[in-house]
Amino acid sequence: MPFVNIRIVKEVIAADPVGIKARINEDVTRSIAEAAGIPASNVWIVFDEVSESDWFSGGQRVKELRAQS
């Protein structure tokens, strides 16, 4: 039984967290079920929302990296 833990910056999905997570869930579940040849009901997914000020990449806060883009 595959277990998928998806960590996502909560500010990225702030506009529609329920809808965005539902779409990600559907796509990831379908992909794993098809690739592994298992029923979709055997795929478990958990979302962890992390604040952009608590997430770092290359020593910089994601909040700062997003402001640069």
Side-chain angles (χ1 to χ4, degrees):
M1 175 179 330
F3 178 88
V4 181
N5 186 296
I6 298 173
R7 291 190 179 114
I8 193 162
V9 176
K10 69 172 129 183
E11 289 82 0
V12 170
I13 63 169
D16 182 18
V18 173
I20 292 170
K21 286 191 269 187
R23 286 191 301 277
I24 293 170
N25 169 58
E26 291 167 8
D27 291 346
V28 171
T29 298
R30 183 175 48 257
S31 293
I32 291 175
E34 288 176 5
I38 60 174
S41 60
N42 286 355
V43 180
W44 293 58
I45 296 180
V46 172
F47 286 89
D48 290 327
E49 295 182 37
V50 180
S51 171
E52 64 186 3
S53 62
D54 293 331
W55 195 312
F56 293 79
S57 177
Q60 279 191 287
R61 279 191 168 86
V62 168
K63 181 177 183 171
E64 296 160 357
L65 293 171
R66 291 183 69 221
Q68 294 172 7
S69 310

